[in-house]
């Protein structure tokens, strides 16, 4: 009699160590597993549901300021540190891990309007409505850790008094310069008490300034005259201005795509622009129901976070029309500033209620050490979810978010208004001579003109 | 606009030279010069003329300068701006720039055009520019001289020839330059325009150079001046600040745009990459406990103390020495180790297999198996007994003990409560199992009681003859009878073997069977004879045997079949045959085990003789099946036999032959002996027969139902009509369709009149259903009809197209094509293959499941750095796995040059 056996070499099946996993050989013939697709669909569905269950984005609040937080700055060189400035002139350095104030920087009179840190993380620059620019020495991270118990305060390295109040400040990436915004845009050097350069185009106050991290000599500002202006320091001249229908509150450059930036607008939307083609926004990110106050890109360049006057923080895809996350708590008031952490896994928001809040960038992400097999599994579930995200059930679960009632209602109202506007235009178009009324896409509609 | 203006201006300069050639040549140049001086600050930008024209103008200017050396110009031709001291406004003509107009007597030219005046600004500019000339056209006066006309024409032609421009352009210039300006103010040193206009008394560089002629450095200076003159061009006034800045911004933006475009390929690559990696090059520090431990430094005092102890030299040395010794002890050659391991593995596997075997055996519940096993054991024990005297003694002692016990207790003599009860009830009424059990008990008892003698005898005979006389007698008798029995047994066995042989593979062929039968018959005859002889011998022996015979006879309680009273030996053969039959019945005659078992049985049967055979026969009887009985009946009953033969005849010829043989044997042999043989054949034949019988009936049926030779095949349609004579398919289909329609779009319920609802009952009785109800019903009906009309199968009479939505399937479909996909096929393909580890090899999974962004938590991600990407590298990049790409990127980042 013939006995058929599977011949296997011992070498292939002997484990080198006792901890090694046993080798499993499978037959991957798809005809043997006809139900695999269905199985994966169910897995995707379950993964989506589990994501919802595990979505606990809020990590903690950092309390300490006495007034609403106006601005924040992250240390590009040290992950755990975040600086915050409030309306009463208080500047604090927080340790995100322990969620405590590590250091205070007293001296600013009146509201702190802008904070920024040099790329090496050694100098903090603050400016405010008291017409001063102050440079501070950032305490050493390890030292700060050690004696964080005593609430130590630092003294300014330098104080530069200037002619007008400041509204914003930003530091150049990998350079010595920083820019302040106010009545005009000033470019400063660390070591000089007066600006090395001043740009003045138009009469209105500039309210935000942001350097391009990829192209350190390019910066963008937004002003009260509803304009966004680009500057080039190499030619020491402004380059181009685009005027929109509403004011832009803040600008963020995409750190991975130096030609693209996103503007947080008063009209509840964010507009992504290509700096080379300003006649049209590349993408309009809708979802907020009130003015967007601040915006910050994730260092990966794939997401950005926005804080809005409607008391929510939202996270958008860099090319997505709608937000993928919305964060809110009962106690969080108007959000004035948001930052993405330097590793792209946390989001910090500062709001009117004098608190900083720490959020996870991915709501259902598992914190802490993830074992390789766990990671593999999570990756698989993510991939499966991503694959079936277009199917209605999965889509519904993935998209679903609970919203506070006022925001929900406001969103509905907004939708109604937009719909009404659209209908009106449609009718107007229908009742006028063909071709006389042209519908402009929303990407163009909000732009008045591009000024050379 | 600006360009045009500039052109005009330049053209003006050009035509001015012509004028100069004609009459007051020098004055013009100087005028211009002065004007330039005064208005320099106002407007001077780089000329934006078409290059062809510009070169032409340059040429002309050079010519002028060579003619008139009076132009003081900027030293560097490229410089756009030139700072010169501001002339006070009152000195310049700015304050009365409109004055000269009044003093004119002029007439408009016939071809006057106002095209150049577009804005106030422009007018101003023009005024500033050509203030001396009063350059706007409406101020031009043509009434100067006719002589000039021809010259102008000639000049115009020449210009046209050189530049290839239309005459208009030059004409205008010419007109512009026909300027006559009269000064309202008296001539003064502050008012040089007067001089300019009149062409007198102006100072040239030459004049200034004159006095210093011969001084050191004069020639140098003169050369420079000449050089400057040769190279000089007309310098434009700067644009207003707003415009200038605008232009500047445009330039900056263009530059910046161009610069930023260099990122495009990087951005594109990142966007197109299925995965981007961040922070792959960052070393996160220690990864193992050992690495962390090696970095440990004692800090506290206690730790330090411990460290001093642990790292003490002596201790270390001792440890080292000790450790090496220990290791030496451990030394073992690889071969030895392998051998040892192989040995252990072998032993282990043996143990394991043995264990498994025991487990399996322990689990066997079959009684037969256990019985056989016990017998085997007994046999083995007996063999051992023979081999080993010690064991034999031991065994004998055991046996003795058992027998003594048996004699004392009579445990197996049907004395138990259970046995007594059964006997009370009558053994015949019991079922086979019980009877068998009873028989078994008795058997056991007999065995135990009888064997005393045999064992004793054997042992005594082997040892010595010193036993008692009676015993010897008995033993002799016993031995004789035993011998006889054995002989008998052997003959029986021969018989048996023969029959068994016939059942195996090749021997079961018909001719072999026949041959075998013949031989067997002969053998059986011989055996019978032998048996008879044995009987006779036994008969002479007398008591014991007869006793045993009687015992057997007494115990023949189940023998209902053997009706004929027969001789003892015949019974025995019969019994044996029955036994055989039983074996056949089990149908495993060809397997070795069964043969063995049979042998055992036979041996036992031989040994136990009658008793055993009886019991076995009973068992055989018990196991006889209805089939056998049937055939027994058939064989016995002559009438039935005839039918049987007929059936065989109908079925097959050779089979009939065989059966005939069987019959022959039947005839030849005694009924009982031949019976089992017949059974064997009958078994097959019976099966065959049943088949053939049914065939025959079928044949009959066909024959009876089939028509005669005149039968004609009916046509297909006829057949169908015949087949479906009873039912109307179309109507059924209609009904089905209607049903499905109703199911998918149910018919609206008829309005029901509820007495007292909606209206008073008497009103209801009078008016019937309320109108709205009827209307609603009608509406619903109409709606339904519309829907039915819209159905795809509305016009298809024989088709039902279901439009029912499968809700479960709907969940698995998208209503529209999702965004990034351009076609349905692409979308479907995107989720065609599963990506899990169950259906993909480990190597593929990693790539399939990799997320879009791979980053390490806690690693700071820096903004993008510029790197050059070469064509071939890029293509490689796409092919390579992510790991490779990472390294590549890092390298690129290191090698990149910083932006300015």
């Amino acid at each position: 009699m013939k006995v058929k056996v599977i011949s296997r070499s011992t070498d292939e099946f002997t484990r080198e160590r006792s901890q090694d996993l046993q080798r499993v050989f499978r037959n991957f013939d798809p005809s043997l597993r006809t139900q695999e697709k269905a199985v994966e669909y169910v897995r995707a569905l379950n993964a989506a549901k589990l994501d919802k269950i595990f979505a606990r984005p809020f990590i903690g609040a950092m309390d300490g300021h006495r007034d609403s937080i106006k601005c924040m700055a992250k240390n590009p060189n040290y992950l755990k540190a975040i600086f915050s400035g409030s309306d009463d002139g208080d500047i604090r350095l927080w340790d995100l891990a322990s969620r405590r104030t590590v250091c205070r920087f007293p001296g600013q009179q009146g509201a702190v309007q802008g904070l920024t840190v040099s790329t090496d993380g050694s100098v903090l620059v603050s400016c405010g409505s008291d017409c001063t620019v102050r440079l501070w020495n950032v305490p050493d991270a390890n030292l700060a850790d050690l004696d964080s118990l005593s609430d130590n305060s630092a003294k300014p390295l330098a104080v530069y008094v200037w002619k007008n109040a400041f509204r914003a400040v930003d530091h150049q990436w990998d350079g010595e310069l920083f820019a302040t915004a106010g009545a005009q845009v000033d470019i400063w050097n660390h070591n000089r008490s007066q600006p090395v350069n001043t740009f003045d185009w138009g009469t209105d106050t500039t309210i935000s300034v942001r350097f391009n991290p990829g192209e350190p000599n390019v910066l963008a500002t937004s002003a009260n005259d509803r304009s966004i202006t680009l500057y080039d320091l190499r030619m020491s001249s402004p380059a181009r201005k685009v005027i929109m229908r509403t004011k832009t509150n803040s600008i963020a450059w995409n750190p991975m795509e130096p030609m693209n930036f996103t503007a947080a607008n008063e009209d509840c939307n964010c507009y992504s622009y290509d700096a080379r083609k300003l006649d049209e926004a590349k993408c309009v990110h809708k979802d907020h129901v009130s003015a967007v106050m601040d915006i910050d890109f994730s260092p990966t360049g794939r997401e950005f976070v926005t804080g809005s006057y409607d008391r929510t923080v939202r996270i958008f895809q860099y090319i997505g029309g709608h937000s993928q996350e919305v964060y809110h708590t009962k106690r969080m008031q108007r959000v004035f500033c948001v930052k993405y952490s330097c590793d792209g896994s946390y989001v910090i928001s500062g709001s009117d209620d004098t608190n900083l809040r720490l959020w996870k960038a991915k709501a259902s992400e598992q914190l802490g050490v993830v074992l390789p097999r766990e990671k593999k599994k999570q990756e698989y579930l993510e991939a499966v979810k991503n694959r079936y995200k277009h199917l209605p059930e999965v889509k519904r679960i993935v998209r679903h978010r609970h919203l506070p009632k006022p925001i929900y209602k406001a969103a509905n109202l907004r939708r109604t208004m937009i719909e009404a506007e659209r209908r009106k235009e449609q009718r107007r178009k229908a009742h006028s001579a063909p071709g006389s009324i042209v519908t402009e896409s929303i990407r163009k509609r909000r732009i008045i003109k591009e000024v050379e | 606009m600006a360009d045009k203006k500039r052109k005009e201006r330049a053209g003006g300069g050009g035509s001015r030279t012509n004028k100069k050639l004609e009459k007051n040549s020098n004055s013009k140049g100087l005028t211009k010069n002065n004007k330039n001086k005064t208005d320099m600050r106002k407007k001077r930008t780089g000329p934006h003329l078409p290059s062809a024209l510009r070169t032409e103008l340059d040429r002309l200017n050079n010519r002028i300068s060579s003619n008139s050396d009076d132009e003081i110009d900027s030293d560097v031709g490229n410089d756009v701006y030139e700072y010169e001291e501001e002339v006070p406004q009152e000195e310049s003509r700015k304050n009365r720039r409109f004055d000269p107009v009044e003093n004119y007597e002029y007439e408009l030219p016939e071809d006057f055009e106002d095209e150049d005046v577009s804005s106030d600004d422009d007018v101003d500019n023009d005024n500033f520019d050509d203030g001396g000339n009063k350059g706007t056209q409406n101020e031009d006066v043509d009434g100067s001289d006719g002589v000039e006309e021809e010259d102008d024409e000639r000049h115009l032609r020449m210009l046209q020839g050189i530049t290839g421009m239309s005459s208009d352009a030059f004409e205008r210039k010419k007109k512009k330059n026909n300027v006559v300006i009269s000064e309202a103010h008296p001539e003064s040193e502050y008012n040089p325009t007067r001089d300019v206009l009149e062409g007198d008394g102006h100072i040239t560089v030459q004049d200034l150079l004159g006095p210093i002629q011969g001084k050191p450095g004069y020639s140098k200076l003169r050369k420079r001046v000449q050089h400057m003159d040769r190279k000089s061009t007309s310098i434009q006034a700067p644009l207003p600040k707003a415009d200038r800045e605008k232009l500047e911004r445009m330039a900056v933006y263009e530059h910046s745009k161009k610069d930023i475009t260099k990122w495009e390929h990087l951005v594109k690559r990142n966007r197109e990459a299925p995965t981007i990696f961040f922070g792959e090059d960052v070393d996160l520090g220690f990864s193992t406990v050992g690495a962390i431990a090696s970095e440990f430094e004692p800090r506290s005092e206690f730790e330090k103390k411990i460290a001093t102890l642990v790292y003490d030299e002596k201790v270390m040395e001792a440890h080292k020495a000790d450790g090496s010794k220990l290791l030496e002890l451990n030394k073992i050659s690889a071969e030895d180790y392998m051998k040892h391991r192989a040995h252990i593995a072998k032993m282990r596997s043996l143990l394991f297999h043995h264990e498994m075997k025991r487990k399996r055996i322990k689990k066997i519940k079959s009684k037969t198996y256990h019985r056989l096993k016990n017998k085997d054991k007994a046999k083995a024990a007996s063999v051992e007994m023979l081999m080993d005297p010690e064991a034999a003694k031991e065994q004998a002692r055991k046996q003795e003990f058992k027998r003594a016990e048996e004699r004392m207790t009579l445990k197996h003599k049907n004395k138990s409560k259970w046995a007594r009860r059964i006997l009370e009830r009558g053994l015949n009424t019991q079922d086979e199992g019980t009877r068998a059990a009873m028989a078994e008990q008795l058997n056991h008892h007999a065995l135990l009681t009888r064997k005393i003698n045999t064992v004793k005898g054997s042992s005594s005979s082997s040892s010595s003859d010193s036993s008692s006389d009676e015993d010897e007698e008995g033993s002799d008798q016993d031995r004789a009878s035993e011998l006889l029995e054995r002989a008998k047994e052997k003959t029986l066995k021969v018989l048996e073997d023969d029959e068994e042989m016939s059942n195996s593979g090749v021997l079961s062929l018909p001719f072999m069977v026949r041959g075998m039968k013949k031989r067997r018959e002969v053998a059986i005859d011989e055996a019978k004879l032998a048996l008879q002889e044995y009987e006779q011998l036994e008969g002479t022996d007398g008591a014991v045997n007869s006793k045993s015979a009687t015992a057997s006879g007494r115990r023949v309680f189940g023998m209902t079949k053997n009706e004929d009273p027969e001789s003892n030996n015949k019974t025995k053969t019969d019994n044996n045959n029955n036994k055989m039959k039983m074996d056949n019945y089990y149908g495993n005659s060809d397997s070795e085990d069964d043969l063995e078992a049979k042998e055992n049985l036979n041996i036992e049967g031989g040994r136990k003789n009658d008793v055993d055979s009886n019991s076995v026969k009973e068992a055989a009887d018990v196991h006889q099946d209805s089939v056998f009985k049937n055939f027994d009946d058939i064989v016995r009953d002559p009438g039935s036999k005839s039918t049987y033969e007929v059936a065989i005849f109908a079925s097959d010829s050779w089979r009939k032959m065989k059966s005939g043989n069987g019959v022959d044997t039947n005839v030849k042999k005694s009924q009982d002996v031949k019976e089992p043989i017949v059974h064997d054949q009958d078994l097959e034949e019976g099966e065959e027969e049943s088949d053939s019988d049914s065939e025959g009936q079928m044949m009959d049926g066909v024959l009876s139902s089939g028509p005669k030779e005149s039968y004609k095949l009916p046509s297909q349609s006829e057949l169908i009509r015949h087949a479906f004579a009873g039912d109307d398919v179309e109507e059924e289909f209609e009904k089905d369709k209607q049903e499905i329609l109703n199911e998918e779009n149910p018919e609206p319920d008829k309005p029901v009149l509820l007495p007292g609802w909606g209206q008073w009952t008497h009103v209801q009785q009078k008016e019937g259903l309320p109108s709205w109800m009827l209307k609603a019903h009608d509406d619903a009906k109409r709606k339904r009809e519309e829907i039915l009309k819209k159905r795809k199968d509305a016009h298809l009479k024989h088709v039902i197209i279901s439009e029912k939505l499968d809700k479960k399937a709907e969940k698995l479909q998208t209503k529209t094509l999702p965004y990034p996909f351009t076609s349905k096929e692409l979308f479907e393909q995107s989720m065609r293959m599963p990506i899990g580890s169950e259906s993909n090899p480990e190597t593929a999974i990693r790539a399939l499941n990799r997320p879009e962004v791979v980053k390490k938590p806690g690693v700071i991600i820096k903004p993008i750095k510029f790197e050059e990407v070469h064509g071939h590298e890029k293509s490689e990049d796409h092919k390579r796995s992510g790991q490779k790409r990472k390294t590549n990127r890092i390298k690129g980042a290191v090698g990149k040059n910083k932006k300015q």
Side-chain angles (χ1 to χ4, degrees), chain A residues 13-124:
Chain A
F13 284 86
T14 325
R15 294 179 296 173
E16 277 179 22
R17 284 170 290 272
S18 59
Q19 285 93 351
D20 287 358
L21 294 178
Q22 287 283 14
R23 270 194 166 196
V24 181
F25 286 81
R26 291 175 191 276
N27 190 349
F28 297 122
D29 185 2
S31 60
L32 294 179
R33 302 162 186 278
T34 48
Q35 295 299 301
E36 204 62 12
K37 209 171 148 187
V39 166
E40 291 210 328
Y41 171 74
V42 173
R43 278 187 192 148
L45 195 63
N46 289 341
K49 287 173 184 172
L50 284 178
D51 258 12
K52 279 274 107 46
I53 290 168
F54 292 127
R56 299 262 178 277
F58 182 62
I59 295 172
M62 286 171 272
D63 193 13
H65 279 292
R66 302 252 175 86
D67 208 338
S68 66
I69 292 153
K70 265 283 137 73
C71 52
M72 289 193 300
K74 54 189 176 189
N75 190 338
N77 206 26
Y78 187 59
L79 199 63
K80 287 203 296 175
I82 185 100
F83 300 89
S84 65
S86 73
D87 258 348
D88 60 353
D90 188 17
I91 302 169
R92 281 166 184 257
L93 167 61
W94 301 88
D95 182 42
L96 287 178
S98 59
R99 299 206 295 276
R100 274 191 306 199
T101 305
V102 174
C103 184
R104 300 177 70 170
F105 304 88
Q108 201 86 34
Q109 307 294 315
V112 184
Q113 298 280 11
L115 279 176
T116 187
V117 184
S118 65
T119 313
D120 59 355
S122 60
V123 178
L124 167 73

Side-chain angles (χ1 to χ4, degrees), chain B residues 12-43:
Chain B
S15 55
R16 233 176 274 140
T17 54
N18 302 333
K19 283 272 132 50
K20 223 181 292 164
L21 283 172
E22 284 159 18
K23 352 185 256 181
N24 43 4
S25 57
N26 280 345
S27 65
K28 279 275 155 110
L30 199 71
T31 315
K32 184 173 174 276
N33 199 7
N34 284 342
K35 281 299 114 190
N36 278 346
K37 264 182 195 167
T38 54
D39 302 338
M40 198 75 77
R41 223 190 76 263
K42 283 284 170 286
K43 190 179 199 177

Side-chain angles (χ1 to χ4, degrees), chain B residues 103-120:
Chain B
N103 298 358
Y104 265 134
E105 21 143 12
Y106 71 94
E107 45 191 44
L108 282 172
E110 277 120 39
D111 56 343
F112 168 74
E113 278 178 335
D114 204 0
E115 54 178 339
D116 274 359
V117 184
S118 64
S119 71
D120 295 339

Side-chain angles (χ1 to χ4, degrees), chain B residues 214-385:
Chain B
K215 294 265 170 63
Y218 165 75
S219 60
K220 211 173 159 191
L221 198 62
R222 201 180 55 121
K223 261 183 198 165
R224 246 182 99 187
V225 167
Q226 277 175 355
H227 181 73
M228 256 159 36
D229 286 346
R230 230 178 290 130
K231 279 214 153 181
S232 68
T233 54
S234 60
I235 299 299
Q236 313 305 320
L239 285 170
K241 195 185 172 195
D243 287 5
R244 210 177 58 215
E245 281 179 344
K246 188 174 169 182
L247 289 171
E248 203 177 316
R249 283 196 301 258
M250 276 164 71
V252 166
Y253 184 57
E254 286 306 318
H255 189 270
S256 164
K257 223 158 117 174
K258 216 175 91 189
D259 199 56
I260 226 165
T261 309
K262 77 179 177 192
W263 296 96
E264 208 162 48
H265 67 266
L266 279 180
V267 170
K268 191 161 174 280
R269 196 183 68 183
N270 280 349
R271 279 200 178 188
E272 281 171 356
T275 308
I276 52 172
F277 297 90
F278 293 107
E280 291 292 326
D281 50 339
V282 178
D283 182 21
L284 285 179
F286 308 119
S287 56
T288 60
V289 178
I292 294 167
S294 69
E295 287 292 305
F296 174 75
E297 272 182 25
R299 276 183 296 187
S300 70
E301 259 182 43
F302 177 70
E303 280 172 359
K304 274 172 192 162
K305 249 184 211 170
I306 293 280
T308 52
L309 284 177
V310 168
Y311 296 112
D312 190 39
E313 274 183 23
K314 282 177 188 170
V315 173
M316 295 281 273
E317 261 174 35
H319 178 73
K320 254 182 206 166
D322 211 26
S324 58
K325 247 185 229 167
L326 286 173
L327 284 177
E328 265 171 27
L329 283 179
N330 281 341
K331 222 168 245 174
I332 189 168
S333 77
E335 273 177 28
D336 281 355
Y337 175 71
M338 293 298 275
K339 220 183 266 175
H340 180 65
R341 203 177 61 171
H343 179 68
I344 284 175
K346 197 181 165 190
M347 297 317 278
R348 215 176 262 163
S349 78
L350 279 176
L351 198 68
F352 173 74
H353 283 298
H354 183 70
E355 223 169 67
M356 293 310 287
K357 200 178 172 187
R358 299 319 308 173
K359 262 184 195 168
R360 183 174 58 82
I361 285 165
K362 204 184 166 195
K363 269 188 186 166
I364 295 173
K365 283 179 183 167
S366 160
K367 276 182 182 164
T368 335
Y369 168 78
H370 280 290
R371 204 178 61 231
L372 293 177
K373 201 180 85 177
N374 286 335
K375 270 171 193 165
D376 268 356
K377 216 193 256 172
K379 197 178 164 192
S382 67
V383 165
E384 205 181 19
M385 221 156 63

Side-chain angles (χ1 to χ4, degrees), chain B residues 464-504:
Chain B
S464 65
D465 297 345
S466 64
S467 52
S468 66
D469 290 357
E470 303 117 5
D471 278 11
E472 248 183 280
E473 263 186 13
S475 70
D476 277 342
Q477 277 182 352
D478 270 9
R479 276 165 80 178
S481 66
E482 218 170 325
L483 277 171
L484 279 174
E485 273 167 328
R486 268 186 200 157
K488 253 192 243 173
E489 186 196 317
K490 284 213 170 142
T491 49
L492 287 171
K493 198 177 168 189
V494 168
L495 286 172
E496 236 176 39
D497 281 354
D498 283 346
E499 293 210 11
E500 273 159 19
M501 293 286 267
S502 71
N503 283 338
S504 61

Side-chain angles (χ1 to χ4, degrees), chain B residues 481-658:
Chain B
S481 66
E482 218 170 325
L483 277 171
L484 279 174
E485 273 167 328
R486 268 186 200 157
K488 253 192 243 173
E489 186 196 317
K490 284 213 170 142
T491 49
L492 287 171
K493 198 177 168 189
V494 168
L495 286 172
E496 236 176 39
D497 281 354
D498 283 346
E499 293 210 11
E500 273 159 19
M501 293 286 267
S502 71
N503 283 338
S504 61
V506 185
L507 298 174
S508 66
L509 290 170
F511 61 92
M512 290 295 277
V513 170
R514 252 173 282 143
M516 290 293 285
K517 258 175 208 161
K518 272 178 192 167
R519 250 186 286 162
R520 205 189 302 149
E521 277 160 23
V522 176
I524 285 170
D525 283 352
E526 279 181 5
K528 270 188 222 162
L529 283 173
L531 278 170
Q532 272 175 350
E533 279 180 14
Y534 296 148
E535 288 288 295
Q536 283 167 3
L537 279 172
E538 274 190 338
T540 57
D541 275 317
V544 184
N545 212 0
S546 65
K547 208 194 259 176
S548 71
T550 50
S552 75
R554 193 190 66 201
R555 276 190 201 98
V556 181
F557 31 73
M559 287 169 67
T560 48
K561 292 255 165 73
N562 294 341
E563 286 157 3
D564 310 34
E566 282 173 341
S567 65
N568 238 353
N569 65 348
K570 279 198 177 172
T571 324
K572 273 168 203 163
T573 50
D574 182 34
N575 289 345
N576 277 323
N577 284 330
N578 276 334
K579 207 193 288 172
M580 218 175 54
K581 198 163 65 183
M582 179 191 73
D583 284 338
N584 289 339
Y585 174 66
Y586 285 126
N588 352 338
S589 54
D590 43 356
S591 77
E592 275 187 322
D593 287 11
D594 276 59
L595 273 174
E596 269 181 12
K598 257 175 247 159
E599 277 169 13
N600 287 343
L601 276 172
N602 291 336
I603 289 159
E604 276 168 18
R607 206 188 290 153
K608 297 173 228 160
N609 216 344
D610 32 5
V611 183
D612 196 26
S613 68
N614 269 331
S615 67
V616 173
K617 199 222 161 235
E618 275 164 32
D621 280 350
V622 165
H623 289 299
Q624 258 185 347
D625 209 37
S626 60
V627 183
F628 288 85
K629 275 174 189 166
N630 284 341
F631 287 115
D632 281 336
D633 291 343
I634 288 162
V635 170
R636 252 169 246 138
D637 192 350
S640 63
K641 206 170 195 171
S642 66
T643 55
Y644 168 61
E645 279 191 347
V646 167
I648 287 169
F649 180 71
S651 68
D652 224 344
S653 59
W654 66 268
R655 218 164 281 268
K656 190 194 83 185
M657 287 285 284
K658 204 169 76 177

Side-chain angles (χ1 to χ4, degrees), chain A residues 374-406:
Chain A
E374 233 176 331
K375 197 173 160 194
K376 228 168 87 180
K377 171 85 173 169
Q378 282 167 2
E379 272 175 11
Y380 170 59
L381 288 181
E382 200 61 35
V384 166
K385 212 172 64 181
N386 194 40
R387 164 173 277 204
Y388 292 104
K389 68 184 172 194
H390 301 296
L391 297 186
E393 253 185 331
V394 179
K395 198 174 169 186
R396 184 182 61 82
I397 294 166
V398 167
R399 282 183 56 201
H400 183 257
R401 296 281 180 282
H402 278 299
L403 278 179
K405 208 170 188 181

